[in-house]
Amino acid sequence: MRDCSPAPVALHLRRDKGHFMRSFGIVALSVMLGGCASVTRGTTENISISSTPSGVEAVVSGLEVPTTCTTPCSVVVKRNADISIAFQKEGYEPQIVPLGRDIQTGGAAGFAGNLLLGGVVGMGVDAATGAATDHKPNPVIVTMQPSPAPRARPSAPRKPRPPAAAAPEAGT
């Protein structure tokens, strides 16, 4: 004979509620930890810029607003930005240094944390923000090359002067 008292029904509901709360907790934790690299490393990084000689103008492009600084300096950039730095100083050849992006150990650990915790959303956030990447090279160091000395322009060959007209002799 089957027991139809309310106690087994209540026990079943409590088990379902516990399963639901555990599932809800796992989902909430995954969402909170979503984008582990975004949380642990942030979406921006500091790029250090220096040159020999110092005092070179560095124009950083690839930012929302192009930024100019005088070396040595540093700028804050978004990790997902395509950055290049143009160096210029009077008397020196201009140089352009493109920066690449690379997944480093800290970024890889945060990205792997997403995978382990089931944070597919977090992996997407990290990929979109570039939080798992670092710009390379960092620091950016350049040695400026002097511009070649301007060559003196060869002077144009001189045209020979026509002989002076002989003056008529006086007294004849």
Side-chain angles (χ1 to χ4, degrees):
M1 183 168 164
R2 192 169 167 200
D3 183 12
C4 292
S5 67
V9 172
L11 181 62
H12 180 70
L13 288 175
R14 264 189 254 140
R15 265 192 236 147
D16 283 347
K17 184 177 180 182
H19 178 73
F20 171 77
M21 291 304 288
R22 189 171 341 129
S23 297
F24 179 76
I26 290 171
V27 169
L29 182 62
S30 295
V31 168
M32 286 189 310
L33 293 176
C36 284
S38 299
V39 171
T40 60
R41 296 166 37 88
T43 58
T44 61
E45 71 176 308
N46 201 27
I47 304 288
S48 296
I49 305 168
S50 64
S51 65
T52 302
S54 61
V56 173
E57 181 181 49
V59 180
V60 183
S61 60
L63 306 176
E64 291 172 3
V65 176
T67 301
T68 300
C69 63
T70 302
T71 62
C73 58
S74 64
V75 293
V76 176
V77 301
K78 288 188 176 184
R79 291 185 186 274
N80 64 348
D82 292 322
I83 304 293
S84 66
I85 305 174
F87 295 89
Q88 51 197 18
K89 183 172 183 166
E90 190 171 326
Y92 292 89
E93 292 291 318
Q95 292 187 40
I96 297 177
V97 177
L99 275 60
R101 290 190 308 242
D102 193 17
I103 295 178
Q104 296 300 303
T105 55
F111 200 71
N114 288 327
L115 183 62
L116 294 175
L117 294 174
V120 175
V121 171
M123 290 175 76
V125 168
D126 285 350
T129 62
T133 61
D134 287 331
H135 285 94
K136 292 294 172 201
N138 189 9
V140 179
I141 303 170
V142 298
T143 301
M144 301 297 288
Q145 302 300 317
S147 295
R151 290 190 242 163
R153 283 194 324 175
S155 58
R158 293 188 177 187
K159 295 180 183 176
R161 287 189 177 177
E169 287 189 33
T172 34

